[in-house]
Amino acid sequence: VDRKWDLIVAGAGPAGCTLAAKVATGGYNVLLIERSGFPGDGRSWIVDVERTVFSEAGVPRPCQEASWYEPERQLIMSAKGKSVELLESPVLPVRNREYVRQLAHWAMESGAEVVTGSTVLGPVLDGHLVTGVTYSRDGDTARANGRLVADCTGLPGAIRKNTPADWFLDGDISARDLVLARREVRRIDVGAAREAVAGGVVLDRKRLDRTAVMSPYSVFTYYMDLERGEIDILVGGKLGGRYPTAEEWFSRILGRWPFVKETLFGDGAAIPVRRTWDALVGDGLLVAGDAACQVIPVHGSGTASALIAANLASQSVIRALEGKSYDRSALWDYCHQFQSGRGSVLAYYYVIQRHTDSLDPADIDKMMEKGIISASDVHNGLLPAPFKKNPLDLARKLARGISSLHLMAGFAAAGLKSERMMKHYRRYPERYSRHALDSWRRGLPSS
Ligand SMILES: Cc1cc2nc3c(=O)[nH]c(=O)nc-3n(C[C@H](O)[C@H](O)[C@H](O)COP(=O)(O)OP(=O)(O)OC[C@H]3O[C@@H](n4cnc5c(N)ncnc54)[C@H](O)[C@@H]3O)c2cc1C
């Protein structure tokens, strides 16, 4: 425990495993500390991940065990049944638990030491520098010392929450920036399910995403395959409070669909859908993945961002270790690259997401009916890329939206605000200085 690690990573999800593997591959001593019994445990949902991310982030493609079936067709439908057929899907279904296991094995094979069943309690601070972590294991508290520490603990943010306020990493996530989700694959009673298909209750081999069914920001998705005898069901959104939780919503669906039987695998959890923190590093510390709120705010997808962030973070870590300098300036490149790149698109979608909150589910129906939200917009949201602004597309939207001018106006205003936010992120300070960061923060447009 007294050994001085080059890097200590807290949390072995996609972000933590990737960062640990990459830095260990560079020949450095890496300790990866995970709370669960084994990386991926308790997190066996399917994640839809951008196909291009594996090569972009330089991570292994999901092995056979971690792969899942791709839907043949995909529809997105509003609460009242207005639907848009999606273009070819830019995302790939991946079994999260199996993929995280695969990444954890990659980290171990690269030389990282993985400690499981251990909960990181917080950072060890020497003045303003993070020099290690404390963690509990079997009721005992231990300490590990490291040159650098990474918080990849996801929503708990076990380390970032206990850092100096002027690192801007210790923020709370408000309920309005939190998505509750549950996704399970279950067996079906094929005979009864066939009848349900004939009765128009459910579709076979067509993925359906229904938006705004519960709260304005909510999705109910399923993909049933009669031949395989399985159904994959996801519910998620800003739930709880005056809406049911994801678990309650899930049981309601089971109550309505008696042909759905026992769980094959699946879990639920909460996802932060805020824009990223104003900075992603402190002295001796990096934050990546859900812990840094690097999630696409309109649909709660964080896997691809976690992999991209871990890749960028690993480059900064290796440079800092080579240069034997561990403060914010030494780690800033990761921060700048993420914020001005992918972070800017995430921030764009954060503003759009905030706008969606102000809408009524009936508005979303109308926007889909009028083509104000089109298949190409949905496709871009999945990529993620900002909405296309080709003049023909806009003219078509205007023509169709003329009878729903207030919606068009709201959408256009949100679009302008989003652009402003994205541009601001793109101008994220290239080098760290107190002054540069303060002035960037002061210039942040409202969301
Ligand atoms: C039901 C559901 C469906 C989802 N669907 C999608 C999807 O389709 N596409 C997509 O891209 N994303 C999806 N997501 C989100 C995605 O799973 C996350 O964005 C992603 O897992 C983030 O990776 P991460 O490594 O940052 O954090 P996590 O996956 O949260 O991993 C954090 C790890 O840290 C560990 N940990 C936590 N606290 C401590 C501590 N104190 N000490 C030690 N270890 C700790 C946890 O046990 C965990 O292993 C979904 C999430 C849910 C819940």
Side-chain angles (χ1 to χ4, degrees), residues 14 30 44 46 68 83 125-126 141 173 175 177 202 205 218 255 266 283 287 297 379 385 444 446:
V30 179
S44 71
I46 294 173
W68 193 247
S83 68
L125 280 156
D126 181 0
T141 301
I173 294 163
D177 288 335
V202 63
R205 285 226 220 166
S218 66
D283 294 328
V287 184
H379 189 81
L444 266 168
S446 74

Side-chain angles (χ1 to χ4, degrees), residues 312-325:
L312 294 173
S314 72
Q315 295 164 13
S316 281
V317 165
I318 290 174
R319 262 195 304 273
L321 290 169
E322 277 169 357
K324 296 189 169 45
S325 152

Side-chain angles (χ1 to χ4, degrees), residues 10-16 33-36 40 43 45-49 96 118-121 152-156 158 181-183 234 267-271 288-291 295 300-304 306:
I33 307 177
E34 167 57 38
R35 185 175 60 182
S36 68
R43 312 172 68 74
W45 48 82
I46 294 173
V47 284
D48 296 313
V49 184
N96 183 63
S118 304
T119 302
V120 172
L121 304 172
C152 300
T153 58
L155 195 60
R182 176 156 207 93
R183 189 162 179 178
L234 158 75
D267 280 301
I271 316 163
D290 279 16
V295 172
S301 293
T303 304

Side-chain angles (χ1 to χ4, degrees), residues 29-330:
N29 299 324
V30 179
L31 175 66
L32 175 57
I33 307 177
E34 167 57 38
R35 185 175 60 182
S36 68
F38 197 82
D41 281 6
R43 312 172 68 74
S44 71
W45 48 82
I46 294 173
V47 284
D48 296 313
V49 184
E50 293 148 50
R51 288 171 200 280
T52 48
V53 76
F54 308 105
S55 55
E56 184 183 347
V59 293
R61 294 184 63 80
C63 60
Q64 174 116 37
E65 257 204 311
S67 302
W68 193 247
Y69 305 91
E70 287 187 56
E72 288 172 14
R73 286 175 65 197
Q74 195 167 343
L75 295 174
I76 181 158
M77 193 182 275
S78 67
K80 283 212 193 117
K82 305 284 177 259
S83 68
V84 175
E85 171 132 16
L86 289 194
L87 309 170
E88 196 188 329
S89 176
V91 293
L92 190 73
V94 174
R95 296 183 66 168
N96 183 63
R97 173 173 179 267
E98 284 66 21
Y99 189 53
V100 169
R101 275 177 173 261
Q102 182 185 346
L103 296 174
H105 283 294
W106 176 37
M108 288 187 260
E109 282 153 21
S110 308
E113 189 160 322
V114 181
V115 180
T116 56
S118 304
T119 302
V120 172
L121 304 172
V124 175
L125 280 156
D126 181 0
H128 243 214
L129 181 70
V130 174
T131 57
V133 302
T134 51
Y135 62 99
S136 73
R137 190 180 191 185
D138 303 329
D140 292 331
T141 301
R143 172 184 167 150
N145 304 314
R147 294 189 171 86
L148 291 169
V149 169
D151 188 347
C152 300
T153 58
L155 195 60
I159 298 174
R160 68 155 188 92
K161 278 193 182 153
N162 301 297
T163 54
D166 67 353
W167 291 1
F168 311 113
L169 281 167
D170 63 336
D172 290 324
I173 294 163
S174 71
R176 63 191 287 202
D177 288 335
L178 208 57
V179 156
L180 304 180
R182 176 156 207 93
R183 189 162 179 178
E184 288 187 18
V185 171
R186 289 186 166 237
R187 210 179 288 291
I188 50 170
D189 171 337
V190 176
R194 204 177 295 277
E195 276 174 31
V197 172
V201 174
V202 63
L203 300 169
D204 181 33
R205 285 226 220 166
K206 221 182 265 176
R207 171 166 162 160
L208 184 68
D209 293 80
R210 298 201 68 173
T211 61
V213 206
M214 195 58 76
S215 54
Y217 183 122
S218 66
V219 68
F220 161 42
T221 295
Y222 72 84
Y223 182 71
M224 186 175 79
D225 190 326
L226 280 174
E227 212 174 287
R228 289 207 318 270
E230 286 164 11
I231 188 165
D232 165 17
I233 303 177
L234 158 75
V235 296
K238 294 194 185 171
L239 301 169
R242 63 195 179 101
Y243 301 108
T245 62
E247 277 63 34
E248 287 160 352
W249 188 5
F250 206 95
S251 358
R252 283 191 200 177
I253 293 163
L254 298 181
R256 274 206 316 270
W257 283 358
F259 57 87
V260 180
K261 300 299 177 194
E262 76 275 14
T263 307
L264 295 173
F265 63 89
D267 280 301
I271 316 163
V273 290
R274 186 194 186 279
R275 65 177 175 82
T276 53
W277 302 118
D278 292 350
L280 307 175
V281 298
D283 294 328
L285 176 72
L286 305 94
V287 184
D290 279 16
C293 300
Q294 292 165 330
V295 172
I296 305 173
V298 274
H299 46 79
S301 293
T303 304
S305 300
L307 300 174
I308 290 168
N311 180 41
L312 294 173
S314 72
Q315 295 164 13
S316 281
V317 165
I318 290 174
R319 262 195 304 273
L321 290 169
E322 277 169 357
K324 296 189 169 45
S325 152
Y326 312 118
D327 63 3
R328 258 179 289 185
S329 303

